[in-house]
Amino acid sequence: MQYFVGEQEYFKGIGKIPFEGKGSRNPLAYKYYDAKRLIGGKTMEEHLRFAVAYWHSFCADGTDPFGSSTITFPFAKSDRWEHAVAKADAAFEFITKLGAPFYCFHDIDASPDHDDAARYEKDYHRMADELLRRQQESGVRLLWNTANVFTHPRYMNGAATNPDFNVVSRAAVQIKASLDVNVKLGGANYVFWGGREGYMSLLNTDMKREQEHLARFLMMARDYGRSIGFTGTFLIEPKPMEPTKHQYDYDAATTIAFLEHWGLEKDFKCNIEANHATLAGHSFTHDLQVCADRGLLGSVDANQGDIFNGWDTDEFPTNVYDTAQAMVVILKNGGLGNGGLNFDAKRRRNSTDDEDLFIAHIGGMDSFALGLEIAQSIIDDGIFDDFVKARYSSFDSGEGKRFAEGKMSLSELADHGRGATIEKRSGKQEYLNNLLNSYLFG
Ligand code: XUL
Ligand code: CO
């Protein structure tokens, strides 16, 4: 099969990743992700809509707060523009060899940042032309892009929520340019992750005012995006903290309440990241379900945290127990629509071989493919659904139905309660845990 390699091949010795199936021990082959295999009427590729994240895969060099870079990229160049062009070549080569249909990026992952706004915009538009050409040649599509308005020191007090109007307006330069670039590249979604949209101390913060500014900013972005022909979904990515002490888009429920309060829910949905949900004290499935229940599940940043520490370790997802449960919610949601599964995940700092980048993605894709397969059998068999339905069956007829339909007063409800016979009914959690294991392990 043909695949895209730019003028120079960067990942030499690694070809298109094949599907070898269960039992293969080849680290550079899929064991479960068989792109064209049909599951419940759609191919795995259509269900899973995998995306590669530019910032981790082609920018993060292993630097952490305790040590300098460990990873040397094969495309490294000393000139910043030449580096960005070589990075684009390497990225499209990598994504094509992997066979992922989508990619995602922040403005300054792909294009050099400059303090001079005009120079920043000029380079970004030039880079968009470079990316567009590679998209057309390779067939890889843009799942979403976003603006990095959290790294530069000017954003240390926030971007849209900064107490200084001049900083807010400088953030608009990046967000407007990113929307222009999105439309040029045919992006399916546009993401806002408010890394510094929160506070470090309430003693210096007018929280109400900052949230009003955030809402105002999002409305302006929506109106501008729609005016230039962006028809995709705007996404907010919740995270409770890190780098701020408290981020306003704390979790799915908080974000949805914010969107609904400001009337933004028709254009915006949530991008749920597994490790952000766990950082907020929820399971990944919990935040997906909160969104699905409100029709606001837009997309997913697929990763996992470490159970032994609380922060955002952004590991590649390998826990099939979680991917299977996540895929149940996603399938019942009717899929992710415009969204997809973006690997907002990085290989560990000491995984320094080029092939480790492939192996990490292969593991993530296989874990979700296996999760999908398991989820489809769980749904097809309907045992969990039947159990849950039976548990609430007292609301399906008679007085219970009248209550659920809002046709009963509190006095009538109490009248029913006086004569009600209450039987003890087990929640059967252990039975259900064991049943889930039987789907995972046969
Ligand atoms: C940070 C994070 C971001 C967003 C995009 O925790 O998840 O990379 O996904 O800005
Ligand atoms: Co993310």
Side-chain angles (χ1 to χ4, degrees):
M1 193 199 275
Q2 273 307 107
Y3 54 86
F4 176 86
V5 176
E7 284 174 14
Q8 190 188 330
E9 185 170 18
Y10 288 102
F11 300 99
K12 291 202 180 70
I14 299 178
K16 175 106 187 161
I17 303 300
F19 169 74
E20 290 186 357
K22 232 162 137 170
S24 162
R25 297 285 176 256
N26 177 359
L28 290 169
Y30 294 113
K31 287 85 190 166
Y32 304 99
Y33 182 60
D34 184 3
K36 301 293 172 210
R37 182 173 155 207
L38 283 173
I39 302 267
K42 277 204 295 192
T43 64
M44 281 193 161
E45 187 175 31
E46 289 164 341
H47 276 292
L48 299 166
R49 295 170 62 84
F50 288 125
V52 173
Y54 228 84
W55 54 102
H56 285 308
S57 297
F58 314 113
C59 304
D61 60 6
T63 304
D64 74 8
F66 303 94
S68 51
S69 72
T70 53
I71 292 167
T72 319
F73 288 113
F75 51 84
K77 299 268 181 299
S78 49
D79 175 82
R80 292 174 72 205
W81 176 258
E82 281 176 21
H83 179 75
V85 172
K87 189 199 290 188
D89 274 334
F92 278 78
E93 179 192 324
F94 176 83
I95 299 164
T96 311
K97 285 180 168 177
L98 196 66
F102 291 102
Y103 74 119
C104 298
F105 65 88
H106 298 84
D107 50 355
I108 59 172
D109 304 335
S111 180
D113 195 11
H114 300 289
D115 283 341
D116 175 347
R119 203 168 157 214
Y120 156 86
E121 287 175 300
K122 189 165 167 252
D123 269 4
Y124 195 10
H125 286 290
R126 246 194 332 153
M127 182 47 66
D129 291 331
E130 296 281 342
L131 294 172
L132 182 60
R133 186 164 60 77
R134 285 164 182 76
Q135 283 187 200
Q136 287 163 347
E137 285 170 5
S138 66
V140 172
R141 288 166 287 157
L142 179 65
L143 185 67
W144 52 261
N145 69 328
T146 183
N148 177 332
V149 287
F150 45 87
T151 295
H152 193 282
R154 78 173 75 91
Y155 300 120
M156 68 180 185
N157 292 308
T161 61
N162 198 293
D164 179 348
F165 172 66
N166 285 338
V167 180
V168 175
S169 68
R170 185 59 175 77
V173 172
Q174 288 183 243
I175 288 164
K176 178 185 173 295
S178 296
L179 285 164
D180 290 334
V181 165
N182 182 297
V183 170
K184 182 181 273 180
L185 299 180
N189 306 272
Y190 181 83
V191 163
F192 291 88
W193 170 62
R196 301 210 187 259
E197 312 296 25
Y199 63 80
M200 304 305 284
S201 168
L202 268 185
L203 297 175
N204 63 12
T205 304
D206 184 338
M207 185 154 64
K208 182 165 187 286
R209 203 160 181 191
E210 290 200 358
Q211 294 205 27
E212 283 166 8
H213 293 170
L214 180 57
R216 180 73 49 221
F217 200 109
L218 294 176
M219 287 174 199
M220 291 166 81
R222 172 200 58 197
D223 295 344
Y224 179 72
R226 295 300 183 220
S227 80
I228 58 166
F230 173 68
T231 52
T233 313
F234 291 97
L235 299 171
I236 305 274
E237 185 177 320
K239 185 175 183 181
M241 63 197 83
E242 199 205 270
T244 54
K245 174 184 154 50
H246 178 98
Q247 194 177 307
Y248 295 135
D249 303 322
Y250 194 92
D251 59 2
T254 313
T255 303
I256 290 172
F258 176 88
L259 291 176
E260 291 179 348
H261 179 75
W262 293 100
L264 290 163
E265 75 282 4
K266 286 180 189 60
D267 298 276
F268 287 76
K269 289 185 175 173
C270 292
N271 181 38
I272 295 302
E273 178 162 329
N275 203 171
H276 294 181
T278 52
L279 197 56
H282 307 307
S283 66
F284 176 29
T285 323
H286 169 94
D287 259 21
L288 292 174
Q289 190 67 60
V290 167
C291 294
D293 288 346
R294 297 299 264 266
L296 293 177
L297 177 55
S299 201
V300 170
D301 269 10
N303 63 10
Q304 71 186 29
D306 185 306
I307 51 164
F308 298 109
N309 55 35
W311 64 90
D312 193 16
T313 56
D314 282 344
E315 293 173 33
F316 275 85
T318 52
N319 186 334
V320 180
Y321 198 75
D322 284 343
T323 60
Q325 293 183 76
M327 287 312 302
V328 169
V329 181
I330 291 170
L331 287 177
K332 286 192 182 173
N333 188 58
L336 288 167
N338 287 347
L341 296 172
N342 167 50
F343 291 112
D344 193 349
K346 55 177 178 255
R347 50 185 157 149
R348 297 304 86 189
R349 180 168 195 272
N350 54 356
S351 297
T352 48
D353 295 340
D354 288 345
E355 69 162 22
D356 292 330
L357 190 59
F358 283 89
I359 294 171
H361 282 83
I362 291 168
M365 290 162 83
D366 268 343
S367 300
F368 268 95
L370 184 52
L372 165 65
E373 214 182 309
I374 295 165
Q376 186 67 52
S377 358
I378 289 176
I379 292 172
D380 288 346
D381 289 357
I383 305 177
F384 287 93
D385 281 343
D386 289 348
F387 180 88
V388 174
K389 194 168 184 327
R391 198 161 183 238
Y392 294 88
S393 59
S394 59
F395 296 95
D396 292 340
S397 60
E399 296 286 272
K401 190 168 185 217
R402 280 187 61 226
F403 164 86
E405 289 173 348
K407 293 179 179 155
M408 202 179 232
S409 69
L410 183 66
S411 306
E412 287 174 302
L413 185 59
D415 286 345
H416 181 86
R418 273 181 216 104
T421 336
I422 298 174
E423 285 162 25
K424 186 149 76 179
R425 293 178 63 199
S426 169
K428 305 210 87 58
Q429 189 173 324
E430 296 76 9
Y431 156 70
L432 295 167
N433 285 338
N434 298 353
L435 182 64
L436 182 58
N437 273 356
S438 74
Y439 280 94
L440 279 148
F441 305 112

